[in-house]
Structures are given as structure tokens and as C-alpha cells.
Amino acid sequence: MEKKSCLILALDVSDREEALKIAEDVSEFVDAIKVGYPLILATGLGIIRELAEFAPIIADFKVADIPNTNRLICEHVFEAGTDAVIVQGFTGRDSLDACIEIASEYGKDVFVVSEMSHPGGAEFLQPVGEAIARMAAEAGAFGLVAPATRPERVTAIRKIIGDKLTIISPGVGAQGGKASDVIAAGADWVIVGRAIYKAESPREAARKIAAEIEAKLKGEI
Ligand code: O7E
């Protein structure tokens, strides 16, 4: 995935036309579009190829099963035309290896959730987040998902993985995180959903966040 704006759109709308319109409007300002259960369950897997016209697609199915089932899920996901899949790390190394194996057959990427951005993410996942990050690095994942709502956790995870893996970070906007803080903390990309797709002008909202990130990277703010 090419790093330009360092912004990923989380497209959690349920209407096909709306999804395509937003994707087209914001495509200039995003490096990828993340799609998950809300959009896919509402419109079907075919939306992935339609959206891929506008940006690389990350399939957020947070895959969390035994190795064989993970393999079957990832095959469907890559056959549908996605560039990357998001999987959970807590299911263990063999389950993660199964996803990475299929991804490398297709020449695609795997992101591993190390810890989550909502308050409940601190209950069970946070205590094992660093161990999951180490495992993902050893397994050869492309990247990790770490919480924009807790930039200090992004920094802690960056220290563990060094430059070996990328970090994508959700929780900016509606969940309270700030894009420039998370980039400064060590994330490669921020993931933004509602603050863009619910804005009066999704294009303008995406442009503003991309500009904030650019200013941070240039040391202007
Ligand atoms: O809060 P929003 O509207 O900006 O949307 C955030 C998106 O990131 C949404 O799709 C949600 O499911 C996802 N997400 C989190 O918010 N927190 C997490 O810890 C993990 C994810 C996620 O997408 O995991 C994979 C990146």
C-alpha cells in the first residue's frame, strides 16, 4: 500500500450508491478504503470491485478462527479483489500463519489487531497487545492495528516492532483521537470513518484531515 496522504477511509455506510459516491469524492485524499461487515452485509461482496476503482481496499473482517477456517475466509476475501485483510491476533500464531500463507499466495497484505480503540479494548486485549505485536512481527505480517484513542499505546507498540511493520490506527474523530497526534506517536496511517462519511462534505472533511497530517509530517504544527 503506497503511503501518500497517510489517511484510510472506514466506509461503514450501508447503501451502495452512497458508498460509491463518497469513495469517488474522497479518493484524492485517501490511500485506501476499509470495508467491513456493515457495508458488505448490506450490499454484498461485489461492492469491493466497484470500490477498487477508487482506491486499494482493506477488508476488515477481523478474522478470528481456527487455521483452516481462517484460510477459507481469506481465500474468499482475496478472490473478491481486496488488497489486504484485517485479522485478530488473539487466536494465536497458527491461526495468523494460515492468513499470512494465503495472503502471500495472492501477493496481498495482512494487518493484525493488537489492541482496540474503544474503552472495552483496555479490558482484555490491552494486557496482551504487546505480545500480539511481537508475534505479528515474527510471523511476517504487513502491519498492526493500534488505537488512535491512546497514542501512547501506538508509541509503545512502535518501540516493539521498530520499522519492521506498519501501523494503521482507528479512533480519530468520532472516538476522540486526533490525526496529527497519532501520526506523531508512530502510526503510518490513520483510519477515519464517521468524521468523514457523516460530514456535510466528506471530500472537504477528508481534505482537512489529510492537510493536518501533511502539516504534522512537515513539522509545521
Ligand atoms: O469511529 P469511526 O467512525 O472513525 O470508525 C472507526 C473504524 O475503525 C470502524 O470501522 C471500526 O470498526 C474500526 N476500528 C476501530 O474503531 N477500533 C479498533 O480498535 C479497530 C477497528 C478496526 O477497524 O480494526 C481494524 C482496523
Side-chain angles (χ1 to χ4, degrees):
M1 218 163 75
E2 212 184 331
K3 217 160 111 170
K4 289 187 282 190
S5 66
C6 302
L7 174 60
I8 295 170
L9 168 67
L11 194 48
D12 293 328
V13 298
S14 301
D15 179 79
R16 176 182 166 275
E17 304 296 329
E18 188 187 0
L20 292 172
K21 166 117 184 50
I22 294 171
E24 185 173 10
D25 285 353
V26 308
S27 61
E28 189 184 332
F29 304 109
V30 303
D31 289 342
I33 297 173
K34 181 179 85 72
V35 297
Y37 294 108
L39 182 61
I40 303 291
L41 291 177
T43 65
L45 264 183
I47 189 81
I48 287 171
R49 284 201 203 282
E50 294 189 275
L51 289 170
E53 299 280 315
F54 305 111
I57 303 299
I58 302 174
D60 178 12
F61 291 119
K62 298 189 182 70
V63 184
D65 216 309
I66 60 167
N68 187 60
T69 310
N70 275 5
R71 202 171 289 123
L72 296 170
I73 294 169
C74 288
E75 263 172 12
H76 283 296
V77 166
F78 294 130
E79 282 295 326
T82 61
D83 297 275
V85 67
I86 292 171
V87 310
Q88 286 288 9
F90 64 74
T91 44
R93 177 68 189 262
D94 52 352
S95 290
L96 174 57
D97 282 345
C99 299
I100 291 178
E101 215 176 277
I102 294 293
S104 55
E105 277 174 28
Y106 281 84
K108 307 292 184 184
D109 295 325
V110 171
F111 290 98
V112 182
V113 180
S114 55
E115 82 187 57
M116 296 187 73
S117 60
H118 60 310
E123 282 177 44
F124 297 109
L125 261 187
Q126 193 182 96
V128 293
E130 295 182 15
I132 290 175
R134 265 182 222 104
M135 175 189 70
E138 283 165 17
F142 177 72
L144 286 172
V145 181
T149 46
R150 299 181 207 99
E152 72 284 2
R153 297 298 303 149
V154 173
T155 302
I157 285 169
R158 174 56 78 199
K159 273 199 189 124
I160 288 170
I161 59 170
D163 288 333
K164 219 173 152 193
L165 271 68
T166 58
I167 297 178
I168 57 176
S169 191
V172 165
Q175 294 180 56
K178 189 164 166 46
S180 46
D181 290 351
V182 190
I183 292 293
D188 294 282
W189 285 278
V190 295
I191 300 173
V192 183
R194 285 163 286 179
I196 294 177
Y197 69 75
K198 284 197 166 174
E200 199 177 316
S201 164
R203 182 180 166 81
E204 181 54 16
R207 189 198 62 73
K208 270 194 187 148
I209 298 168
E212 179 191 327
I213 295 170
E214 192 183 2
K216 189 70 187 182
L217 291 172
K218 285 183 172 165
E220 293 167 359
I221 54 171

